């Protein structure tokens, strides 16, 4: 397992890809089996599950056979459903629609919430237009609303939808609001790691993918990819540099998803 992939992140990725479709709680023994192909040992699975339980993302439950297991909490399901729109969303869904602005004011006595607000908006992919004014593509409105309400931060924030009318060209403004150089490097790192994996699968003709290998490569690719649509929140292509690597990295992930996801499901739920 590389430094990029942490046990906790891989468990969340597993639940997002496969675990939430399970008919009941996923037994702990199954989590240990299913995390082994991506390099997570049993003690790491158990300690990471405990941390996710403390964060309110996993809830302990018994399977029909009486085994100890874990299911997603309602908040975790909402997070994953919101994430689906980013992770699997098409480029067409991200274009147009203007911008959503988040303007917040937090009393000095509650300044810790100011820090939480900034970190959550940044984690949702917002850029900074001015002190206390954060901006993102308008398609992020619903997810932003869900997140602020879940964290009980909505009383401190006003949300607006609008257009950028000047004075600088919007492309120049976008380059101020987001660190495009850093975002490009993240896309390029994804391509460096996972484009060779895709090319390897494409070179195999005829034989169906081996379920465990498909599962491993897909889970690692998804674990890498799912961070990117939050760092790069689907900025319109006409506002980005001509050599922007985002479309290429999205195409590589989509190809891996189409080729490996269902094959990997055969390892999760053998026939």
């Amino acid at each position: 397992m590389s430094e990029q992939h942490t046990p906790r992140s891989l468990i969340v990725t597993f639940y997002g890809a496969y675990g939430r479709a399970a008919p009941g709680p996923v037994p702990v023994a199954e989590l240990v089996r299913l995390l082994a192909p991506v390099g997570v040992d049993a003690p790491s699975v158990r300690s990471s599950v405990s941390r996710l339980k403390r964060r309110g993302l996993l809830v302990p439950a018994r399977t029909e056979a009486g085994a100890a297991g874990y299911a997603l909490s309602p908040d975790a399901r909402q997070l994953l459903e919101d994430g689906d729109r980013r992770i699997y969303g098409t480029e067409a869904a991200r274009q147009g629609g203007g911008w959503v602005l988040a303007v917040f004011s937090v009393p000095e006595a509650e300044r810790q919430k100011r820090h939480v607000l900034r970190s959550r908006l940044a984690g949702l992919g917002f850029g900074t237009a001015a002190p206390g004014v954060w901006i993102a593509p308008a398609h992020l409105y619903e997810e932003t609303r869900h997140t602020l309400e879940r964290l009980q931060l909505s009383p401190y924030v006003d949300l607006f939808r609008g257009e950028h009318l000047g004075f600088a060209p919007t492309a120049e403004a976008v380059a101020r609001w987001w660190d495009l150089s850093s975002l490009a490097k993240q896309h390029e790192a994804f391509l460096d790691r996972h484009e060779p994996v895709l090319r390897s699968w494409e070179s195999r003709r005829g034989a169906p993918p081996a379920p465990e290998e498909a599962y491993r490569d897909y889970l690692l690719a998804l674990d890498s990819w799912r961070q990117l649509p939050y760092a790069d929140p689907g900025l319109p292509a006409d506002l980005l540099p001509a050599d922007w690597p985002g479309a290429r990295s999205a195409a590589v992930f989509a190809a891996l998803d189409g080729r490996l996801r269902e094959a990997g499901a055969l390892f999760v739920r053998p026939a």
Side-chain angles (χ1 to χ4, degrees):
M1 182 174 60
S2 73
E3 293 181 3
Q4 182 209 4
H5 302 288
T6 68
R8 202 181 322 176
S9 175
L10 285 163
I11 290 170
V12 172
T13 299
F14 161 75
Y15 271 96
Y18 300 109
R20 59 178 150 162
V26 181
V28 175
E30 268 297 275
L31 286 174
V32 170
R33 178 182 78 86
L34 292 166
L35 273 296
V38 289
V40 183
D41 60 22
S44 296
V45 169
R46 292 190 174 92
S47 64
S48 297
V49 163
S50 294
R51 292 189 188 98
L52 291 167
K53 183 179 75 170
R54 287 197 295 272
R55 289 180 56 194
L57 298 177
L58 294 180
V59 291
R62 292 281 174 180
T63 68
E64 287 187 0
Y70 285 88
L72 290 165
S73 69
D75 279 350
R77 286 191 176 275
Q78 181 68 68
L79 283 169
L80 291 174
E81 287 168 11
D82 285 339
D84 285 347
R85 288 189 282 274
R86 297 213 195 194
I87 295 166
Y88 302 105
T90 64
E91 283 300 307
R94 297 179 177 188
Q95 304 304 313
W99 305 94
V100 59
L101 294 177
V103 180
F104 64 82
S105 177
V106 179
E108 185 61 25
E110 299 179 273
R111 60 182 176 273
Q112 177 58 26
K113 290 184 178 178
R114 190 180 306 138
H115 170 74
V116 174
L117 258 170
R118 287 172 178 153
S119 65
R120 295 316 299 162
L121 290 172
L124 287 165
F126 276 70
T128 308
V133 181
W134 293 66
I135 188 167
H139 67 265
L140 299 186
Y141 164 72
E142 290 291 344
E143 184 180 358
T144 301
R145 187 181 187 93
H146 291 157
T147 300
L148 295 176
E149 289 175 341
R150 179 174 57 84
L151 297 174
Q152 299 181 335
L153 295 170
S154 54
Y156 306 96
V157 185
D158 286 304
L159 297 176
F160 302 86
R161 190 192 299 269
E163 301 176 54
H164 179 244
L165 300 176
F167 290 92
T170 304
E172 290 183 15
V174 163
R176 292 198 312 269
W177 299 337
W178 282 272
D179 184 347
L180 296 183
S181 176
S182 174
L183 295 181
K185 288 177 181 176
Q186 292 178 59
H187 283 293
E188 290 161 358
F190 177 85
L191 288 165
D192 288 345
R193 284 189 293 268
H194 298 288
E195 193 169 31
V197 176
L198 174 63
R199 300 298 169 241
S200 174
W201 282 103
E202 288 176 337
S203 70
R204 308 179 195 189
R205 306 290 183 185
E212 182 173 351
E213 189 179 3
Y215 168 83
R216 180 200 67 209
D217 286 352
Y218 179 64
L219 203 68
L220 291 174
L222 178 58
D223 195 56
S224 295
W225 171 256
R226 70 181 181 88
Q227 313 298 330
L228 261 172
Y230 287 90
D232 175 356
L235 298 168
D238 60 350
L239 301 178
L240 294 168
D243 58 350
W244 187 250
R248 189 168 139 225
S249 67
V252 166
F253 173 71
L256 286 166
D257 179 66
R259 186 176 290 266
L260 302 180
R261 187 178 191 183
E262 291 304 317
L266 297 176
F267 177 72
V268 177
R269 293 179 287 277

